[in-house]
Amino acid sequence: QACFCLLLCVPWGSSCPPSCQCTERAGAKAVLCSSRHLEEIPRDIPKDAVFLKLDANSITRIPSNAFRHLSRLEELDLSRNAIEKIDRAAFKGVAAGLRTLDLSSNRIRSIPKEALLALNAKLRLANNPWHCECALQEVLWEARLDPDSVQDITCHTAPREEYVGKPLLQVLDAGVNFCSVRQRTTDVPMFITMFGWFAMVIVYVICYVRHNREDACKHVDYLKSLPSSQGHAE
């Protein structure tokens, strides 16, 4: 056991990011970048990394293709950062092999469902200021969430005040469907727009008819004002 612990502390390779520690765990390469005041994901992470810990930093965004070159990556820890934005293709290239992804304790309010539903990894999404909406609901139903952290996915904001502060799973179990709510809310402005166009057409027709009627009346009055043929003959 002492030898194994010693092995974990042995650095490997010369391509390890300067702000991280690279070790080997039973033949699998681990890159440890915890609590290093990082504001973005290091670009020089070794390609054969299997474990990557980026927790407890100040990362605010996961850009597209951030981990694309890490084809062997199995575990990714991004917890306890300041992540607010995750691009749609943030995990492109690692979706097939990733087994666990920890995004807990960040500042994530919403996330493109395409970024997570392509993953087979077990997800941890707890302790974020989530805005409960259709995309988050679809992630909850379709993605592989860590069962121990599901209850901590709480509605920080929601379409209705009564859902705020409640676990999303509890709200959905009560029969709420955020996807149908979104559909109804998009139908309302569409209906208003259609009604507006219809009203404009009606007003145009009325004005057109009234204008033609006024022109016809003026023409008739003009004809009446002309001297008759009998008057000319005399």
Side-chain angles (χ1 to χ4, degrees):
Q1 185 176 1
C3 293
F4 179 73
C5 293
L6 181 62
L7 181 62
L8 293 181
C9 299
V10 176
W12 53 273
S14 58
S15 60
C16 188
S19 56
C20 303
Q21 178 185 4
C22 298
T23 64
E24 186 171 334
R25 299 179 179 179
K29 306 300 172 61
V31 181
L32 311 178
C33 310
S34 305
S35 304
R36 300 300 175 96
H37 306 289
L38 299 174
E39 296 182 357
E40 60 182 17
I41 299 168
R43 298 183 179 181
D44 49 354
I45 298 173
K47 295 182 179 180
D48 54 350
V50 177
F51 305 99
L52 176 58
K53 289 183 66 65
L54 291 163
D55 55 303
N57 283 292
S58 302
I59 299 171
T60 59
R61 179 191 173 197
I62 309 299
S64 297
N65 302 310
F67 309 100
R68 188 169 186 174
H69 65 291
L70 305 178
S71 59
R72 298 183 58 186
L73 193 63
E74 296 182 5
E75 296 185 15
L76 176 58
D77 188 353
L78 289 161
S79 63
R80 296 183 295 150
N81 273 278
I83 299 171
E84 297 180 355
K85 180 176 176 55
I86 298 177
D87 292 356
R88 295 177 182 273
F91 305 106
K92 187 175 182 180
V94 297
L98 204 61
R99 295 187 304 176
T100 63
L101 171 60
D102 195 342
L103 292 168
S104 59
S105 301
N106 277 282
R107 300 176 185 174
I108 307 171
R109 296 189 70 252
S110 63
I111 188 170
K113 62 181 181 180
E114 296 84 358
L116 297 183
L117 294 183
L119 298 173
N120 294 319
K122 183 181 292 186
L123 301 174
R124 299 188 182 97
L125 304 176
N127 301 318
N128 281 286
W130 291 107
H131 173 65
C132 289
E133 57 180 349
C134 182
L136 182 59
Q137 174 180 320
E138 291 178 343
V139 168
L140 187 64
W141 289 141
E142 300 182 35
R144 293 184 58 220
L145 298 179
D146 183 352
D148 295 332
S149 64
V150 172
Q151 288 296 335
D152 293 323
I153 302 176
T154 304
C155 296
H156 184 74
T157 57
R160 296 177 62 174
E161 188 67 25
E162 60 189 276
Y163 306 144
V164 175
K166 293 184 178 180
L168 177 58
L169 188 61
Q170 177 183 336
V171 174
L172 297 179
D173 285 344
V176 177
N177 189 333
F178 290 106
C179 295
S180 64
V181 169
R182 184 183 67 174
Q183 183 64 37
R184 287 197 298 270
T185 55
T186 54
D187 286 345
V188 170
M190 185 179 298
F191 175 78
I192 294 175
T193 303
M194 293 178 63
F195 180 79
W197 279 106
F198 181 74
M200 290 177 59
V201 171
I202 295 298
V203 170
Y204 174 79
V205 171
I206 293 174
C207 293
Y208 180 80
V209 171
R210 182 177 297 176
H211 178 73
N212 285 350
R213 183 179 296 176
E214 291 176 354
D215 286 347
C217 291
K218 290 179 181 179
H219 185 67
V220 170
D221 291 340
Y222 172 75
L223 293 177
K224 288 182 179 179
S225 67
L226 294 176
S228 62
S229 56
Q230 183 177 358
H232 283 294
E234 292 176 355

